[in-house]
Amino acid sequence: MRHIDTGTIAIRHSRLRRLENFIDVAYALLFVNFVLYLPSGEDMAWTKLEFGLLSLLLEHSQELFRLFIAVGLTLVQWNLTHKLLGPVEQSNNVHTSLVLLQQVVVCFYLYFAISDPKLVSISSTVGQSVCLALSGFIGIAAWQYARKQGFANTSLTSKEKDNVLKSAITEPTVAVLTIGLAFISPVVWSLGWLIIPLLLVVIQKRIGRK
């Protein structure tokens, strides 16, 4: 095992901190962008509706449901990113590039989500699923690379490091499974994001008991 000087390690620690800060800011901007797609009430026309703003929201209930799904999936990706970055203590050019590529793919997911909020085209639902699957697998690749390079927290046991991978595989697996649902209907595709994770949790618990 070759010796790594303390200066190089310090630089890698600093790089990781900056990377984590950048990712948090990027996701914050994504969430702000989602807010912009709430029904506009600036013209005050909602004051003439029976239930005011509530009526305005009900009129756009389908779009709001899609927005709810989009926000939820973005939160899942944010959590997945930190799940895979949390056990890492250092980052180099390759690891940083993989994490940033993961973020770029999430941005493409957002593009599909906001370009077709009513899911008129099947390409948008398939595109969202593919982007989230790719994002998850890229994140896992970044973790596996960091582990191989010795960037993982030294206090973690091999089993704990294996568990990081096991806990992270669910998100991209769900995304892959929803690709098929996209060819059925937008409603089935949307519900798949809610139902499939629950089914996977039940299956994992049953396997764990055996």
Side-chain angles (χ1 to χ4, degrees), residues 52-194:
L53 281 173
L54 181 59
S55 294
L56 180 64
L57 293 176
L58 290 174
E59 286 180 6
H60 297 82
S61 58
Q62 185 177 13
E63 290 86 345
L64 288 176
F65 176 69
R66 308 296 185 203
L67 183 62
F68 172 78
I69 294 293
V71 171
L73 293 178
T74 306
L75 274 172
V76 168
Q77 290 301 304
W78 175 81
N79 181 64
L80 176 61
T81 301
H82 283 276
K83 187 189 298 182
L84 294 169
L85 281 178
V88 178
E89 294 185 325
Q90 303 176 49
S91 181
N92 62 5
N93 289 335
V94 175
H95 178 259
T96 298
S97 297
L98 286 171
V99 175
L100 292 179
L101 178 60
Q102 179 187 8
Q103 186 64 37
V104 169
V105 177
V106 171
C107 290
F108 274 105
Y109 154 72
L110 176 62
Y111 171 77
F112 282 110
I114 65 179
S115 297
D116 186 14
K118 294 185 178 181
L119 302 182
V120 175
S121 172
I122 192 173
S123 63
S124 63
T125 50
V126 173
Q128 290 179 61
S129 293
V130 169
C131 285
L132 293 178
L134 282 175
S135 173
F137 288 127
I138 292 171
I140 289 173
W143 158 248
Q144 292 291 79
Y145 174 82
R147 178 179 179 177
K148 183 178 180 180
Q149 294 297 313
F151 296 164
N153 191 314
T154 54
S155 66
L156 296 176
T157 65
S158 295
K159 183 177 181 180
E160 289 173 329
K161 292 175 183 178
D162 291 338
N163 287 336
V164 172
L165 174 61
K166 290 179 181 178
S167 66
I169 198 67
T170 301
E171 288 85 348
T173 299
V174 172
V176 170
L177 294 175
T178 59
I179 294 175
L181 299 181
F183 292 93
I184 300 176
S185 75
V187 174
V188 173
W189 177 84
S190 299
L191 292 175
W193 289 105
L194 303 174

